[in-house]
Amino acid sequence: MTEPNELRIKTLPLVFEEPKGRGKPPRHLADLTAAERKARLEELGLPGFRAKQLSTHYFSRLVDDPAEMTDLPAGTRDALVAGLLPDLMTPLRVMEADKGTTRKTLWKLFDGALVESVLMRYPGRTTMCVSSQAGCGMACPFCATGQGGLQRNMSTAEIVEQVVAGARSLARGEVPGGPGRVSNVVFMGMGEPMANYNAVIGAVRRLTDPTPDGLGMSARGVTVSTVGLVPRMRQLADEGIPVTLALSLHAPDDELRNELVPINTRFSVAETVEAAWDYARKTKRRVSIEYAMMRGINDQAWRADLLADVLNSYGTGPEERRWGWVHVNLIPLNPTPGSKWTASDPADEREFVRRLEVHGIPTTVRDTRGSDIDGACGQLAAAE
């Protein structure tokens, strides 16, 4: 079915590689395995065994002041910290919503690039939404980040530092609700995680490595999102890390998805959903289908039926016996400056949910935390 001409929009080109000539952030212990940290100190002429102490301060004690690292010799403390704990990013601004339980931080990286992360505290859990790139090259026209283009990839340590900083603020009681810990991390901030694959996988490993080598989180509390870079989705399925995969689908038909999610011109809806199914089949982890509801564009009842048909075409064979491999997460569209698209009418949203559930597809509507501070999905633009 052809969409009205006035809904069509010229999109930016897809960008898969970061611009050439960008400098690299300093190497940090979060970039390195335990063995590499030891070797790094020895290269600098420092005792390798101190690497474990530095890792304990960073990941277990969440210390950011060298003066508190009293088990390190005063004479070499500065050199040890400079060798494995260089400053990576500076907070420029923290904005709060939901009575302080949602906090968006604007970070300045070593080269002046700007990124944002969002901490969301709920009863019983705290989620960090982290960025993996400064900007994004996927050019989705309804997303503020995508319209800003790609500046560069972030390093593993720059990704991890966003989570560690959130963990520090919780441990220090800076977030209402008393001291706490980060229980969940979602790679749904700025950037396309699969376009910065190696750094993102490194960050996932640091987050899930046992302390003090990492933060000691459960892989089941980590969600990696993608607009559908199919080769990387298949690679993730073979990593042996049972994270949740979230596929930003936004349309069940190629004609519309080609416009909303330009990567679809490379990998069709069928190819993308099949890769998601393969991930679920290999990992036995349920995949989340992200679907931003846009009034009059992708929220028609017939598209709900088509989405259900596409998803139900997998996982229903006699050897599989439909085990509920997929879940749809509807996202009320968050407004961005200059966008002519708006969130769906609540009645249309309810009908969309009803249609999916009739077809046996588990469906929820996401709580749009942080929209009043431009901290919700699709709103992160990192403006000073």
Side-chain angles (χ1 to χ4, degrees):
M1 182 177 293
T2 302
E3 301 303 320
N5 288 334
E6 64 269 16
L7 295 181
R8 298 192 177 277
I9 186 167
K10 184 176 176 62
T11 59
L12 297 170
L14 285 166
V15 178
F16 294 93
E17 301 293 335
E18 63 182 337
K20 302 293 184 186
R22 302 288 301 218
K24 298 294 183 184
R27 297 283 275 175
H28 185 282
L29 67 80
D31 290 307
L32 309 171
T33 64
E36 290 169 340
R37 295 168 199 169
K38 181 174 181 289
R40 170 68 176 156
L41 288 184
E42 291 171 349
E43 286 171 13
L44 297 172
L46 296 164
F49 75 89
R50 298 290 184 190
K52 185 170 184 179
Q53 290 173 291
L54 288 163
S55 299
T56 298
H57 286 301
Y58 185 73
F59 283 119
S60 300
R61 296 186 57 214
L62 305 173
V63 171
D64 57 357
D65 181 359
E68 296 181 33
M69 304 177 188
T70 53
D71 58 343
L72 300 178
T76 57
R77 185 182 304 158
D78 288 347
L80 289 165
V81 169
L84 280 182
L85 292 174
D87 288 335
L88 293 174
M89 45 214 297
T90 305
L92 296 183
R93 182 176 66 238
V94 177
M95 299 179 70
E96 296 184 350
D98 305 308
K99 299 181 180 178
T101 58
T102 299
R103 291 161 55 99
K104 182 178 77 166
T105 303
L106 174 66
W107 299 98
K108 184 176 183 179
L109 307 183
F110 83 101
D111 57 354
L114 302 176
V115 299
E116 293 179 318
S117 61
V118 184
L119 180 152
M120 295 162 284
R121 188 169 200 173
Y122 303 90
R125 76 182 193 281
T126 299
T127 297
M128 284 294 310
C129 177
V130 299
S131 295
S132 56
Q133 295 178 307
C136 183
M138 295 297 101
C140 298
F142 58 89
C143 174
T145 313
Q147 290 303 290
L150 176 64
Q151 296 176 55
R152 72 166 171 89
N153 289 334
M154 296 178 69
S155 68
T156 286
E158 287 173 328
I159 298 170
V160 170
E161 175 64 14
Q162 297 169 75
V163 182
V164 171
R168 287 191 194 111
S169 64
L170 282 166
R172 294 169 181 174
E174 296 169 2
V175 183
R181 57 181 292 275
V182 175
S183 54
N184 298 78
V185 172
V186 295
F187 284 78
M188 294 181 179
M190 299 175 68
E192 163 54 49
M194 296 292 187
N196 187 19
Y197 186 85
N198 290 337
V200 165
I201 291 302
V204 170
R205 293 192 185 281
R206 289 303 95 73
L207 296 176
T208 58
D209 282 343
T211 55
D213 294 339
L215 265 184
M217 295 182 62
S218 167
R220 293 175 179 269
V222 178
T223 298
V224 178
S225 69
T226 181
V227 293
L229 275 67
V230 167
R232 295 303 197 187
M233 293 167 69
R234 296 192 181 282
Q235 188 175 353
L236 182 65
D238 295 326
E239 290 286 354
I241 315 173
V243 299
T244 297
L245 175 67
L247 171 61
S248 297
L249 196 63
H250 304 313
D253 53 299
D254 287 323
E255 183 178 14
L256 179 57
R257 194 168 192 263
N258 285 346
E259 294 187 32
L260 297 182
V261 189
I263 192 67
N264 201 73
T265 60
R266 306 284 185 96
F267 307 107
S268 68
V269 168
E271 292 174 282
T272 305
V273 174
E274 182 176 21
W277 155 244
D278 284 342
Y279 183 85
R281 180 176 55 82
K282 287 183 178 180
T283 64
K284 295 297 182 282
R285 297 286 292 146
R286 188 170 70 167
V287 170
S288 179
I289 301 294
E290 310 292 298
Y291 198 102
M293 295 287 283
M294 307 174 209
R295 182 176 300 185
I297 295 177
N298 67 347
D299 62 353
Q300 303 89 343
W302 70 266
R303 277 203 164 95
D305 292 336
L306 179 57
L307 177 59
D309 290 343
V310 169
L311 299 179
N312 277 335
S313 63
Y314 298 95
T316 57
E319 73 283 0
E320 295 145 2
R321 292 300 176 196
R322 185 138 170 226
W323 49 277
W325 73 274
V326 71
H327 166 269
V328 171
N329 190 14
L330 300 179
I331 308 168
L333 185 71
N334 295 301
T336 57
S339 174
K340 59 187 175 184
W341 296 339
T342 56
S344 297
D345 183 276
D348 293 333
E349 183 181 278
R350 288 193 295 271
E351 178 63 10
F352 205 94
V353 172
R354 190 188 73 80
R355 294 281 186 118
L356 289 172
E357 290 179 340
V358 163
H359 289 286
I361 303 291
T363 305
T364 53
V365 178
R366 177 178 292 173
D367 171 20
T368 54
R369 278 276 193 116
S371 59
D372 51 338
I373 55 172
D374 290 338
C377 288
Q379 291 185 316
L380 299 186
E384 284 193 85

